[in-house]
Amino acid sequence: MWRISVLTIFPEVFPGPLAASLAGKALAAGAWSLDVVDIRTFATDKHRTVDDTPAGGGPGMVMKADVLGRAIDATATDERPRLLLSPRGVPLTQARVETLAGGPGAVLLCGRFEGIDERVIAARGLEEVSIGDYVLSGGEIAAMVLIDACVRLIPGVMGAAASGEEESFADGLLEYPHYTRPQNWEGRSIPDVLLSGDHGRIAAWRRAEAERLTRERRPDLWAAFLQRVRAGSRTE
Ligand code: JFB
């Protein structure tokens, strides 16, 4: 079974939104598992201290190496990748999500405050992963994002929708626009081509819209797409 262990000082926030929808049904049905470990239970002092002032001075607090080391050692006794959610991590991509979803699961360490003692990262072989270039206040929401992205790829969790080839990013393009009834809504109608029944024209329209949206919104993805198209036409 695909297995996630989350280490956090806020265990009560899990599963949170992951309990809703198809991912939650799959969790309840045993298609994947979620173990939540309260880091604070590995603190040894009367006040269950998990953080301390930064060496060298400066603002904020740092999560203690000894407490985190014990929490990891009690949890990560198998071959799962150990990931630290961090604003300075390697950016999470759909390719990495696919690799993680195809593996045994992961151990996710959620930091708080200014971050964690650097020595834990090397000593416990943590890989730092970021969900994007903006600043969160801790790793918990980032962990939920990573878990959600992986769980929807586990066979049987989402049904046909997630495995389809029309998925966003599947061919490096953004998704085409979607419509459903009513045919006329607030004076806006569904594009005629989608009501034509001509599957060839519909596919061509969707493809053109996907390319237009990618070109307009994501010049980075559009450049990579053009690169692949050109490389492909050289080798065929
Ligand atoms: C993750 C976190 C903090 C240092 C620390 C723990 N994409 C992302 N943005 N922010 C985070 C993240 C991921 N993944 C993130 C873990 C922690 C942020 N903080 C707060 C803010 C700035 N610098 C503590």
Side-chain angles (χ1 to χ4, degrees), residues 84-88 110-115 129-140 142-143:
L84 171 66
L85 286 308
S86 161
R88 68 174 199 192
C110 301
R112 278 276 157 177
F113 316 112
E114 297 309 301
V129 171
S130 165
I131 64 156
D133 290 340
Y134 35 78
V135 182
L136 305 173
S137 49
E140 286 78 11

